[in-house]
Amino acid sequence: MIDKPYEVIIIGSGATGGMAALTMAKAGVRVLVVERGPELEIKQANGTAACNMIRRLTGIANGKYQSQTQHPGFWKSNPLLYADKKSNPYTYPQKSPFMWTQGNQVGGRSLTWGGITLRLCNEDFEVSKEKEYSLKWPINYKDLESHYTEIERFLKVYGNRDELEQLPCGEYIGSIPFTESEKQFASNIKEKLNLPFIHSRGFGPNEDKTKWPKFSSLGSTLKEAISLGKVEILSNHVADKLVLNKDRKSAKSVIVINQTTGERSELDSKLIILCSSTIQTLRFLLSSEEKNSSNGLIDPSQSLGMNLMDHISTCRFFTVPVERNSKKLSDKKDHQRLSGAGSFFIPIGRNRSIKNNFVGGYGIWGGIDRFEPPEFLKRSKNTKMGFLIGHGEVLPNKKNKVTLSTETDRNGVSIPHISVAWRENEKNMVIEMNRVIELIINSGNGTTLPIDEILNIPFVKRILDKSVAIKNDAPPPGYYIHEVGGAPMGNNKEKSVVDNWNRLWECGNVLVVDGACWPTSSWQSPTLTMMAITKRACEKAIINFKG
């Protein structure tokens, strides 16, 4: 089945899997990357506008796609990149829905990543000082600073050095300019509200459709790792569980299942790195735990799967006026596509929580004239359309967790049961985010409107009435696709699942480096930090490996 010898197994091929593969390959270590989905060609992954729409509509009609339709990315990407729930089932309590977005293909969810790269700051690693938190980060900003820098340089991301305490600067190749409407909006916000208004940080739009996008692992980390000749990919194989050595102090192998034939195989490895996304990693570890597997994994904290978090969010659309005789209306160069760096941020951070009845920080992402419809589709002429999305930090909560369902998938693998509900703290944060968003729009000379009152498109209201993103209440957990937690890092094995180098306490040759290892959620987009944590842990593992 595998032609080349390998020393390390990496489970998952997305943002963290690509980073782990590259770090190992650069050190001369042979790697096998196990991916549950297929290896697609670029044309397959892109699809065509017509075929993609047919797939969406057919999938919606037959129930293949359900919660996926709530995500804007589903409507602009090939729906094949969004795993259907029928083939990839999970369960949740009837009164607490969870919107789990899976990307089961080589490249994982990095192929549909929004491409925003924000660093965490000092205070984000120190939030455990507040009594509301029960978990502590065993690392700080300095532990990740050099890794942030190296990754940013490698990825060549955009951004501006804004010197904000709540959002450390990175290494950027420049910033993508604001649109004219954004410039005027920013001027009003800074003058009237004295809020930070900065260029977003990350990737520009993917212009060349003949190449993998640079924000994906296939266009960056995994691509580079494969070019070094040290990496082999085993696609269409589900990683079921670990097999431990007799002393149960280290892992011997991984059981994988061929998605096509259902055949089970055992793959031996000296080191196993879990990068398959937070919930899949938790499902894998729970399946390997002693209560669910003979001679299984020991978790001294008895907390594996607890404290699952996702960012809580809220969204508003609005319009801003444009003078008829202004060049802003006719200057086509002003129109720039929305992307991770082609947008703006109002990073509030955690400094407002003292004044309000919630704990945690938040930021507001937005754009104006980034996805402008033709004039004939607008209800209000001589305007530009904008959006603001607030996303906020969620506190650890033992009741929010992943367990194993009594149901299994087609291969007999236990499926995850995801139980998460917003608490009063998060609901209070949403109230505050909505208040500030309205204040920003009004101060920017904008008008908040439902999108069906902005666009003159038949049947749009009927579709939008079902959208969770534009309602007053926050969308259900999972909507923002930033899930973290469940196997947190720590300095004490009675209170954490992995140590400060991401090693399982009782099984040191297994690393958990994706979002599952986060003790708290912070408010920033997490992918860059996940990659930095992965790089740090893998470099330490290489020292131990070769030593």
Side-chain angles (χ1 to χ4, degrees):
M1 183 169 60
I2 306 298
D3 296 330
K4 299 176 183 178
Y6 56 87
E7 301 162 287
V8 175
I9 289 178
I10 297 172
I11 300 174
S13 60
T16 56
M19 192 74 251
L22 178 57
T23 307
M24 289 292 163
K26 286 170 70 174
V29 179
R30 288 199 173 277
V31 173
L32 176 68
V33 177
V34 178
E35 169 56 52
R36 67 189 289 119
E39 192 165 3
L40 303 174
E41 298 292 333
I42 295 177
K43 286 186 177 180
Q44 284 179 286
N46 287 334
T48 63
C51 289
N52 289 347
M53 184 54 72
I54 291 171
R55 288 191 190 100
R56 289 186 197 104
L57 297 178
T58 303
I60 292 169
N62 64 22
K64 181 178 180 180
Y65 297 120
Q66 297 174 22
S67 62
Q68 296 92 338
T69 63
Q70 295 285 351
H71 300 288
F74 177 81
W75 295 95
K76 67 178 183 178
S77 303
N78 187 341
L80 289 178
L81 303 180
Y82 289 79
D84 68 276
K85 190 179 175 183
K86 279 190 172 182
S87 300
N88 302 274
Y90 66 99
T91 59
Y92 51 78
Q94 186 176 0
K95 294 183 179 179
S96 300
F98 189 93
M99 302 176 69
W100 186 22
T101 296
Q102 303 177 64
N104 297 338
Q105 59 272 327
V106 174
R109 294 193 308 200
S110 75
L111 290 172
T112 54
W113 178 28
I116 294 176
T117 57
L118 305 180
R119 296 186 180 196
L120 269 61
C121 70
N122 279 318
E123 65 184 12
D124 296 310
F125 293 97
E126 298 173 354
V127 295
S128 56
K129 290 179 180 179
E130 297 174 7
K131 64 181 181 180
E132 287 83 357
Y133 288 89
S134 59
L135 300 175
K136 298 180 180 180
W137 281 93
I139 59 175
N140 56 40
Y141 177 74
K142 284 293 182 185
D143 290 320
L144 295 184
E145 186 174 19
S146 65
H147 301 291
Y148 277 138
T149 298
E150 289 182 41
I151 294 169
E152 289 162 341
R153 285 175 179 166
F154 173 75
L155 295 177
K156 296 181 172 56
V157 296
Y158 294 92
N160 189 63
R161 297 189 65 83
D162 302 291
E163 307 301 336
L164 297 174
E165 184 179 352
Q166 70 269 38
L167 199 61
C169 296
E171 293 290 323
Y172 308 120
I173 60 174
S175 59
I176 293 181
F178 291 137
T179 64
E180 288 297 324
S181 298
E182 289 170 346
K183 288 178 185 176
Q184 184 59 52
F185 195 74
S187 177
N188 290 332
I189 302 311
K190 290 176 181 178
E191 178 184 346
K192 297 178 182 179
L193 300 180
N194 193 31
L195 288 175
F197 192 108
I198 68 172
H199 295 83
S200 188
R201 302 168 180 178
F203 294 88
N206 180 33
E207 303 288 1
D208 189 349
K209 297 298 183 181
T210 65
K211 297 179 180 178
W212 293 110
K214 291 180 180 178
F215 53 76
S216 71
S217 61
L218 285 171
S220 56
T221 50
L222 195 56
K223 173 186 174 183
E224 180 75 7
I226 292 170
S227 73
L228 296 174
K230 299 292 184 180
V231 176
E232 186 173 1
I233 296 175
L234 178 64
S235 60
N236 269 320
H237 280 72
V238 175
D240 181 15
K241 59 184 177 181
L242 291 167
V243 176
L244 302 190
N245 287 308
K246 289 183 179 180
D247 61 3
R248 291 208 282 177
K249 293 295 183 182
S250 60
K252 172 181 176 290
S253 59
V254 175
I255 301 294
V256 299
I257 305 170
N258 187 313
Q259 289 270 57
T260 304
T261 66
E263 178 187 359
R264 277 174 159 74
S265 303
E266 185 173 343
L267 306 178
D268 292 346
S269 182
K270 297 177 182 178
L271 180 68
I272 297 159
I273 308 175
L274 304 186
C275 304
S276 58
S277 83
T278 296
I279 294 171
Q280 286 291 8
T281 287
L282 295 177
R283 193 274 312 158
F284 177 83
L285 289 172
L286 288 165
S287 297
S288 307
E289 199 178 16
E290 57 182 343
K291 66 180 72 171
N292 298 309
S293 181
S294 175
N295 200 45
L297 183 69
I298 299 170
D299 169 32
S301 72
Q302 295 293 300
S303 65
L304 179 62
M306 297 179 183
N307 299 296
L308 184 69
M309 297 162 278
D310 179 38
H311 284 149
I312 192 164
S313 66
T314 184
C315 176
R316 293 291 183 272
F317 289 93
F318 63 96
T319 60
V320 293
V322 176
E323 295 295 330
R324 184 176 291 277
N325 61 353
S326 171
K327 69 172 185 176
K328 302 171 191 174
L329 191 62
S330 58
D331 187 358
K332 293 183 179 179
K333 292 182 180 178
D334 174 44
H335 182 84
Q336 297 169 352
R337 289 174 55 196
L338 180 68
S339 65
S343 46
F344 61 79
F345 243 104
I346 303 173
I348 305 297
R350 309 189 82 252
N351 57 358
R352 291 186 68 90
S353 26
I354 298 172
K355 305 174 185 178
N356 297 289
N357 58 339
F358 65 86
V359 175
Y362 67 93
I364 299 170
W365 180 53
I368 308 173
D369 193 18
R370 295 285 181 180
F371 49 94
E372 201 66 15
E375 281 294 308
F376 72 90
L377 290 179
K378 294 182 182 179
R379 292 187 183 273
S380 299
K381 309 303 180 185
N382 301 325
T383 62
K384 297 291 186 180
M385 188 168 76
F387 72 92
L388 292 178
I389 298 176
H391 54 92
E393 182 176 6
V394 171
L395 307 186
N397 177 6
K398 289 183 179 180
K399 293 180 180 179
N400 290 339
K401 59 188 176 181
V402 176
T403 55
L404 294 184
S405 171
T406 55
E407 300 178 31
T408 60
D409 65 13
R410 61 183 180 179
N411 293 312
V413 175
S414 295
I415 65 174
H417 179 76
I418 309 168
S419 180
V420 181
W422 300 134
R423 290 188 293 184
E424 285 303 310
N425 188 76
E426 286 81 51
K427 293 175 183 178
N428 289 337
M429 182 183 288
V430 169
I431 292 171
E432 172 65 5
M433 286 195 290
N434 284 334
R435 185 188 73 82
V436 172
I437 285 173
E438 291 292 341
L439 186 63
I440 289 169
I441 293 172
N442 293 336
S443 299
N445 199 25
T447 302
T448 305
L449 290 169
I451 196 166
D452 59 291
E453 292 185 22
I454 297 175
L455 301 178
N456 187 24
I457 302 176
F459 309 115
V460 70
K461 188 176 189 308
R462 190 181 305 172
I463 296 171
L464 291 172
D465 281 343
K466 298 179 181 179
S467 173
V468 299
I470 60 174
K471 299 196 181 298
N472 289 329
D473 295 334
Y479 171 79
Y480 217 70
I481 324 180
H482 285 173
E483 61 269 14
V484 295
M489 304 170 69
N491 287 320
N492 185 322
K493 66 181 180 180
E494 278 73 41
K495 294 184 178 180
S496 58
V497 176
V498 298
D499 67 12
N500 63 326
W501 293 104
N502 298 83
R503 301 169 296 202
L504 289 171
W505 281 108
E506 296 294 330
C507 192
N509 67 336
V510 177
L511 306 183
V512 179
V513 296
D514 58 21
C517 73
W518 285 43
T520 64
S521 71
S522 187
W523 62 268
Q524 297 90 328
S525 304
T527 307
L528 178 67
T529 300
M530 291 178 184
M531 295 173 75
I533 288 171
T534 299
K535 182 173 175 292
R536 174 182 178 270
C538 288
E539 288 181 357
K540 173 66 173 177
I542 289 166
I543 294 172
N544 297 343
F545 197 85
K546 295 192 171 183

